[in-house]
Amino acid sequence: MSTYRFLPNLYTSEQLREVTKKKWMISHGLLVKHCYAIVLAQREDCALEIMTIKELHQKFRRKDHYDIIGLSTSRHGAIRLLTEIYQDVYLHTNSYAVKEYMKTRME
């Protein structure tokens, strides 16, 4: 099963309810309807990815590790969270090195 690590101050959309319960369900491999995760990308050429929880639990991803930095109830909400994340990173670092900044915050 995949392993998941959540950002301590997780970015969430306004409509998302029961965040703790959703995090527990994701960590235990259960499906969560109407939920999108923003994760640090596995590939080197991009920083973040938006995935449904079903995509995270796919069989071919079982040995992967994911750092989840945001949860949203819709794809549109996830895109808005991406904007917020990039603005926060630029505000704190004066650069768009999102992946590096988030990795330091995960520790």
Side-chain angles (χ1 to χ4, degrees):
M1 184 164 105
S2 299
T3 57
Y4 306 100
R5 190 169 63 161
F6 293 90
L7 185 69
N9 293 325
L10 196 66
Y11 289 89
T12 58
S13 63
E14 299 104 23
Q15 298 84 10
L16 191 69
R17 303 285 181 249
E18 301 178 325
V19 176
T20 306
K21 180 179 178 182
K22 287 184 179 13
K23 286 169 53 175
W24 184 88
M25 291 175 73
I26 292 167
S27 296
H28 288 82
L30 301 172
L31 292 181
V32 180
K33 290 185 179 185
H34 309 293
C35 193
Y36 291 80
I38 300 171
V39 300
L40 292 181
Q42 302 286 325
R43 299 180 358 208
E44 294 296 320
D45 62 336
C46 58
L48 302 172
E49 293 181 65
I50 298 174
M51 302 175 133
T52 63
I53 304 309
K54 185 176 180 180
E55 287 176 302
L56 281 177
H57 296 319
Q58 292 291 325
K59 195 173 196 174
F60 66 91
R61 298 182 192 269
R62 288 207 174 140
K63 294 187 182 202
D64 293 340
H65 170 77
Y66 293 97
D67 290 329
I68 300 174
I69 61 171
L71 292 174
S72 177
T73 55
S74 67
R75 191 165 205 65
H76 182 70
I79 292 169
R80 276 190 269 144
L81 281 179
L82 283 178
T83 304
E84 184 181 330
I85 291 166
Y86 274 95
Q87 287 174 344
D88 285 352
V89 170
Y90 188 77
L91 184 68
H92 289 94
T93 65
N94 285 335
S95 73
Y96 290 108
V98 174
K99 197 179 247 186
E100 294 79 15
Y101 178 71
M102 289 300 166
K103 282 183 180 179
T104 61
R105 287 189 58 201
M106 294 298 276
E107 299 170 352

